[in-house]
Amino acid sequence: MNLTVNQFVRIFAGAFVLISLALGVEGSPLFVSGKFLWFTAFVGANLFQSGFTRFCPLENILRKCGVKDSAGCA
């Protein structure tokens, strides 16, 4: 399975949000500190701005690592 840049960005963002919520919400068995919710806000703000500006640092990193932009048509 060849994942595209867009798919990687969604996977990373979703994983970071879930991890930071698990570490930042007091009801979670993995709770460390409520300050982890700031990371959740950062990920959300970055996704929001990238929707308008098309600038995403993770996309740039993935492209430099050789990940393809799209799977292409067969």
Side-chain angles (χ1 to χ4, degrees):
M1 172 167 64
N2 294 327
L3 297 176
T4 64
V5 169
N6 191 28
Q7 290 170 309
F8 270 114
V9 169
R10 290 174 185 222
I11 290 168
F12 273 82
F16 282 139
V17 166
L18 290 174
I19 291 167
S20 63
L21 285 174
L23 296 172
V25 174
E26 288 188 34
S28 168
L30 302 175
F31 175 74
V32 175
S33 169
K35 294 181 180 181
F36 276 100
L37 296 178
W38 283 105
F39 190 71
T40 306
F42 170 75
V43 172
N46 190 39
L47 287 169
F48 182 76
Q49 71 79 25
S50 71
F52 291 103
T53 65
R54 302 265 315 158
F55 173 73
C56 178
L58 181 57
E59 280 185 11
N60 296 335
I61 293 168
L62 290 170
R63 285 187 185 114
K64 287 180 182 179
C65 291
V67 178
K68 302 293 181 203
D69 278 325
S70 63
C73 298

